[in-house]
Amino acid sequence: MDLPRSFVIRESSHRIHDPLTGEKLATLGRALRLPPEARVLDLACGSGELLCTWARDHRITGTGVDISTAFIGRARARATELGVADRVGFVHGDAGGHVADEPVDVASCLGASWIGGGVPGTVRLLQRSLKPGGIMLIGEPFWRRRPTEQDAVTGCHVDSVDDLLLLPGLVEQFGALGYDVVEMVLADQDSWDRYRAAQWLNVRRWLDTHPDDELAAGLRAELDTAPARYVRYEREYVGWGVFALMRR
Ligand SMILES: C[S@@+](CC[C@H](N)C(=O)[O-])C[C@H]1O[C@@H](n2cnc3c(N)ncnc32)[C@H](O)[C@@H]1O
């Protein structure tokens, strides 16, 4: 059970595996006005940047769960680097059924709502770990502009135009699930670039040093087209944001 190696290669330099920059993640941490010692559960935590930096900046404690051994290893190294290894811990595993032993103040899943089979299922999963009055964080894509051609939908790495909502529709979906949206931090095109464009240099450097690897031909072909595909489609059509929710 591990994340396919191609993802680890593409995101080898990333501390944040989503379209938020470190500044935006810090803005979110400040916006939530977390009390010291707040307990946070982060499902599909990637390399643990949310937990590690919020432990440093806001004195939270927490646990991250991720299926990638590489990312969990980096999360533990980052916790040591920031001097917060006594405040945050990281578990390698499938987060799909993970529920905290004790209810937490904040339960999050940024950029991985498939672990609950979509937004409603992930909301239900996170709710099972939350204290009454706790805050849920969901990081999710939406259409900035709804494409009219299937080429554009596919170019955005989406199967069907109905797989994403426009931003108002996504916000209304949280309401329909019984939650108040109490904060949000959205990506913009520049922060999307930090996520996607940074992958191209990672792939190019890896290709230069691993020409005979079994993944080389596929990643070479991907790099030939990924930048143009991104600026033509995803950068124009897809938005992304983290939404803070409280149950009504
Ligand atoms: C888009 S990244 C987001 C990572 C992190 N939340 C962040 O925003 O930096 C998706 C993450 O989901 C993890 N993942 C995918 N399926 C998973 C599963 N079933 N259980 C736990 N983690 C999973 C991947 O390893 C990856 O770290």
Side-chain angles (χ1 to χ4, degrees):
M1 177 179 56
D2 210 336
L3 189 65
R5 202 159 54 95
S6 57
F7 287 84
V8 179
I9 294 166
R10 281 187 206 99
E11 302 189 18
S12 59
S13 70
H14 292 56
R15 286 200 174 123
I16 299 173
H17 304 272
D18 69 48
L20 293 192
T21 56
E23 291 79 8
K24 285 179 180 287
L25 188 62
T27 297
L28 177 64
R30 285 193 300 274
L32 298 178
R33 289 172 256 149
L34 300 170
E37 309 304 328
R39 284 165 45 82
V40 180
L41 174 69
D42 190 14
L43 298 185
C45 64
S47 298
E49 191 69 359
L50 180 155
L51 286 171
C52 291
T53 54
W54 291 8
R56 177 194 62 192
D57 299 340
H58 304 291
R59 306 295 297 156
I60 61 113
T61 64
T63 302
V65 183
D66 200 280
I67 208 165
S68 166
T69 48
F71 294 170
I72 285 291
R74 279 197 235 155
R76 291 181 179 140
R78 183 70 167 149
T80 301
E81 180 189 351
L82 296 186
V84 296
D86 58 335
R87 306 190 71 78
V88 294
F90 295 96
V91 178
H92 173 244
D94 185 347
H98 188 98
V99 177
D101 295 338
E102 285 181 40
V104 297
D105 301 283
V106 178
S108 66
C109 177
L110 308 189
S113 60
W114 59 83
I115 67 167
V119 169
T122 299
V123 166
R124 282 195 297 275
L125 173 64
L126 292 172
Q127 185 63 49
R128 292 171 61 198
S129 291
L130 260 192
K131 280 182 189 168
I135 292 181
M136 185 180 297
L137 302 176
I138 299 268
E140 193 62 15
F142 55 85
W143 292 126
R144 293 178 68 227
R145 287 197 285 139
R146 206 176 150 85
T148 52
E149 307 292 332
Q150 183 58 32
D151 275 4
V153 176
T154 308
C156 293
H157 309 275
V158 175
D159 292 331
S160 158
V161 71
D162 297 325
D163 288 352
L164 300 185
L165 298 166
L166 289 162
L167 180 57
L170 180 58
V171 167
E172 283 167 358
Q173 183 184 28
F174 295 130
L177 291 170
Y179 287 79
D180 289 326
V181 177
V182 295
E183 256 294 359
M184 68 177 192
V185 174
L186 301 185
D188 55 27
Q189 287 178 305
D190 292 339
S191 67
W192 256 113
D193 297 347
R194 292 306 82 236
Y195 178 53
R196 280 283 181 233
Q199 297 177 9
W200 309 332
L201 183 58
N202 293 342
V203 169
R204 174 54 202 260
R205 293 272 190 245
W206 183 88
L207 285 169
D208 287 348
T209 51
H210 299 79
D212 300 323
D213 191 283
E214 62 182 7
L215 296 181
L219 286 170
R220 174 69 258 170
E222 181 182 296
L223 184 58
D224 288 347
T225 56
R229 172 179 172 164
Y230 166 70
V231 297
R232 182 169 287 125
Y233 298 122
E234 193 174 39
R235 193 175 195 275
E236 288 305 310
Y237 288 102
V238 184
W240 200 88
V242 178
F243 303 87
L245 312 178
M246 293 178 73
R247 187 139 82 160
R248 286 181 184 144

